[in-house]
Amino acid sequence: MMMSRLSLTDMKGRNRILAHMKIKPTRRFLTMPPAPIPYNNHESYCGVQILLKISRYLNETGRPLPSYNAHRDFRAEVLGPRLDNGESFSGILQGINNANGIGNTPLGQDIRDLYAEWERTGELLIPSPLDQFGIHPILDLNIGNFYLSFTNLSLSMLLTLGLVLLLVFVVTKKGGGKSVPNAWQSLVELIYDFVPNLVNEQIGGLSGNVKQKFFPCISVTFTFSLFRNPQGMIPFSFTVTSHFLITLALSFSIFIGITIVGFQRHGLHFFSFLLPAGVPLPLAPFLVLLELISHCFRALSSGIRLFANMMAGHSSVKILSGFAWTMLFLNNIFYFIGDLGPLFIVLALTGLELGVAISQAHVSTISICIYLNDATNLH
């Protein structure tokens, strides 16, 4: 029996070795030791030596793996097939020692081949909290030079549209609502009453009939934002508004529509918003340029605000959730107790992000109403 002392940091790697050896992990092997621990089993000692030699070999050859998960899986894929073929850790370690290093052994060739394959397929990239915003095709459809594939983004928008239509259909399927509304009918009525009240508060100088012309556009925009923003909080879902092109397309189309409304109501006099009355003539060129930039920037401001809030909030939740999840599975009582802090922060941040997702629909609708008020009433 061989007695040796090693300071180890790769707990999951040790557990994989023990699993290959058909040995049930004990508390000594599951816990990350604060000090070196003895290994009374010669085979487990050889396995740990191999893991350390693999790490040293990768660093010496300038190919360190970029993440802990990739390192762990890499070791398992390198050693697993050799163990399944009947080799033992003692035999592999003896071969490494006879060759004066890993480089000239079959294990070294396996490492080089596997690393090259992983590097070619891009599977060694460091996991990023922004990976959740990736657009992936579900049904590939290429027509010539046009890419018309059905992606997870398309699916998410269809689900949002379907949810809104289903809610309205359920409430109105019998020719109208009930005298005593249920929860779903109350939700639809609340949304329906909210938009006209907002239009009346923010847009002045117009009759009720004229304001009603703006109601469909504002109502659809508010309802779609209200349902699609919180949708990203559902696990394994997709946040449509985390993509700047989506929010930019929405804000730019609204900006074009509001500008058309301004020209329809005022004609060429609409340009008078660039120069308020009473401005001294020497300041007129600078003020016209400033007002023009301010007006055009409205096409970007709403999209940037929504995109930034959604991406930043979801990324923060992802980072802290991963941190809490890692601490939870470190198999150490102190880490487990310490995990309660990040866990509570994640729960609080999730509630905050849900509130932000809902409030952004309100903020975007108010912005549309303010821009409409400026276009219809000028200065």
Side-chain angles (χ1 to χ4, degrees):
M1 184 175 295
M2 184 173 186
M3 178 74 69
S4 179
R5 298 176 69 84
L6 293 172
S7 179
L8 301 175
T9 57
D10 194 346
M11 174 191 61
K12 293 186 177 180
R14 280 175 278 158
N15 291 342
R16 284 180 177 269
I17 290 176
L18 296 173
H20 278 299
M21 294 166 50
K22 308 296 190 241
I23 296 177
K24 183 178 180 180
T26 63
R27 183 69 182 173
R28 180 181 63 195
F29 291 110
L30 287 174
T31 307
M32 187 173 293
I37 61 174
Y39 279 84
N40 297 325
N41 186 291
H42 175 63
E43 189 69 6
S44 63
Y45 164 77
C46 294
V48 171
Q49 284 282 354
I50 294 172
L51 292 180
L52 296 177
K53 287 181 180 294
I54 290 176
S55 297
R56 190 179 303 115
Y57 170 77
L58 290 174
N59 285 318
E60 290 175 352
T61 55
R63 298 179 301 188
L65 298 179
S67 69
Y68 172 78
N69 290 334
H71 207 164
R72 179 197 63 198
D73 297 339
F74 180 82
R75 288 169 169 175
E77 291 201 31
V78 167
L79 294 176
R82 306 190 72 85
L83 296 173
D84 293 339
N85 288 334
E87 296 186 61
S88 65
F89 287 119
S90 300
I92 297 173
L93 183 60
Q94 185 63 42
I96 294 174
N97 293 334
N98 293 339
N100 295 321
I102 285 183
N104 297 324
T105 64
L107 177 61
Q109 185 59 48
D110 290 344
I111 293 175
R112 289 190 291 272
D113 294 342
L114 184 60
Y115 191 94
E117 176 65 19
W118 282 20
E119 195 174 42
R120 183 183 64 81
T121 58
E123 295 182 3
L124 284 178
L125 298 178
I126 300 176
S128 168
L130 301 181
D131 290 342
Q132 59 181 309
F133 306 122
I135 299 178
H136 309 290
I138 298 176
L139 296 175
D140 285 325
L141 180 60
N142 297 316
I143 302 177
N145 295 326
F146 295 96
Y147 181 77
L148 304 174
S149 295
F150 185 77
T151 63
N152 53 343
L153 186 146
S154 306
L155 176 62
S156 180
M157 289 194 289
L158 282 179
L159 290 176
T160 302
L161 178 62
L163 180 62
V164 174
L165 294 179
L166 179 63
L167 179 61
V168 175
F169 172 76
V170 169
V171 171
T172 61
K173 64 180 180 179
K174 294 183 179 180
K178 300 178 181 178
S179 300
V180 180
N182 55 24
W184 298 114
Q185 182 177 336
S186 298
L187 176 61
V188 173
E189 291 179 355
L190 179 65
I191 296 173
Y192 186 85
D193 292 336
F194 174 79
V195 176
N197 293 335
L198 198 61
V199 171
N200 292 328
E201 291 175 2
Q202 300 295 332
I203 303 177
L206 299 177
S207 64
N209 291 333
V210 176
K211 291 181 180 179
Q212 286 299 319
K213 294 181 180 180
F214 302 139
F215 171 76
C217 175
I218 299 176
S219 178
V220 168
T221 303
F222 172 74
T223 305
F224 190 56
S225 298
L226 182 65
F227 280 86
R228 77 184 168 196
N229 291 347
Q231 182 182 357
M233 300 299 297
I234 302 174
F236 305 106
S237 64
F238 185 80
T239 310
V240 175
T241 47
S242 64
H243 284 266
F244 182 55
L245 286 179
I246 300 296
T247 57
L248 177 63
L250 180 63
S251 63
F252 191 77
S253 60
I254 292 174
F255 170 78
I256 295 296
I258 291 175
T259 303
I260 293 174
V261 169
F263 277 111
Q264 285 180 338
R265 184 168 178 81
H266 302 287
L268 294 179
H269 183 65
F270 178 68
F271 287 112
S272 63
F273 79 92
L274 296 174
L275 188 63
V279 175
L281 186 60
L283 294 179
F286 302 100
L287 194 58
V288 168
L289 180 61
L290 184 62
E291 287 287 342
L292 181 61
I293 294 175
S294 175
H295 180 71
C296 293
F297 193 76
R298 292 178 175 181
L300 298 174
S301 60
S302 297
I304 292 175
R305 179 177 58 248
L306 181 58
F307 149 76
N309 277 283
M310 292 297 100
M311 174 168 282
H314 285 65
S315 298
S316 300
V317 172
K318 174 69 174 179
I319 292 171
L320 290 176
S321 299
F323 180 60
W325 185 261
T326 301
M327 290 186 66
L328 185 64
F329 285 91
L330 283 179
N331 293 325
N332 187 297
I333 187 63
F334 297 105
Y335 287 110
F336 184 81
I337 296 175
D339 181 61
L340 296 178
L343 185 60
F344 287 136
I345 294 176
V346 169
L347 294 177
L349 190 61
T350 301
L352 176 63
E353 179 62 14
L354 184 61
V356 169
I358 296 174
S359 65
Q360 281 301 308
H362 184 205
V363 171
S364 299
T365 308
I366 290 179
S367 299
I368 295 173
C369 292
I370 293 175
Y371 298 158
L372 273 172
N373 180 66
D374 292 343
T376 55
N377 296 310
L378 299 179
H379 289 289

